[in-house]
Amino acid sequence: CAEELRNDREVVLQAIRGWGMALGLVSPASAAGRRLRADKEVVLEAVRRDWRTLDLADEALRSDKELALEAIAQSWEAIQFVSEELRTDREVLLAALEQNGEALRYAGEAMKADPELVAKAEARGWGFVAEGQERIIQCQASRPPNDISPPSSGQPYE
């Protein structure tokens, strides 16, 4: 009986309206569960409640731009759950980069080299050091690992 309820579309939708992560109670091992995780209306309802439910969606729905943008509107971190295809979509990337430059690390390779996206990411705090760049990050081994205070001299760590 409990398994039947977990696979009943209306019961699942009602549960999701109360707690988005209820989608996680739908088993991907059963055919009915897979259908529910592939049902755009069910997943969209869950994503509207909690962006992390995009990770529970059927793989095909992770390529759905509407779902991706809905999740990213809540948190840029949702970009880690979108398909590779959407990680090369400028609109999706810009939506994530508006919140945090770190989103660029999830972008497709070609997009990581896009000057506009790199500039947006850097404006939002992302620092990317690539071979050939002159930027140098220095650390002082004598400081505790969690100490991020500047050196007393005000100069970069040596």
Side-chain angles (χ1 to χ4, degrees):
C1 183
E3 190 63 31
E4 288 176 22
L5 290 176
R6 284 186 192 182
N7 294 320
D8 181 279
R9 187 174 189 277
E10 292 309 312
V11 170
V12 169
L13 274 171
Q14 194 63 29
I16 286 170
R17 288 182 184 119
W19 179 52
M21 291 301 288
L23 184 60
L25 300 175
V26 174
S27 173
S30 71
R34 286 189 299 276
R35 275 194 304 278
L36 285 169
R37 286 178 179 228
D39 184 318
K40 183 174 177 179
E41 182 184 355
V42 170
V43 174
L44 182 58
E45 192 70 34
V47 166
R48 285 182 174 150
R49 305 269 179 302
D50 191 322
W51 62 271
R52 296 171 298 175
T53 57
L54 186 59
D55 187 33
L56 303 171
D58 180 76
E59 197 63 38
L61 286 180
R62 291 180 187 208
S63 294
D64 186 285
K65 191 170 180 175
E66 178 187 7
L67 283 172
L69 289 172
E70 184 73 36
I72 290 169
Q74 293 175 46
S75 174
W76 68 271
E77 293 175 283
I79 197 160
Q80 67 187 301
F81 302 132
V82 304
S83 68
E84 291 298 319
E85 174 188 345
L86 286 180
R87 290 179 188 202
T88 62
D89 184 285
R90 180 172 293 280
E91 183 182 357
V92 170
L93 288 169
L94 285 171
L97 288 170
E98 282 295 321
Q99 297 174 45
N100 192 311
E102 191 174 341
L104 190 61
R105 76 178 163 129
Y106 294 103
E109 288 306 312
M111 302 307 272
K112 288 179 182 177
D114 182 297
E116 179 189 353
L117 295 177
V118 170
K120 175 75 77 176
E122 287 177 342
R124 295 287 188 258
W126 173 250
F128 184 73
V129 179
E131 186 176 339
Q133 283 187 323
E134 292 186 21
R135 186 183 320 179
I136 298 172
I137 298 176
Q138 298 176 340
C139 299
Q140 187 173 10
S142 63
R143 289 186 178 264
N146 294 329
D147 183 358
I148 59 170
S149 59
S152 59
S153 66
Q155 297 300 313
Y157 292 120
E158 298 171 357

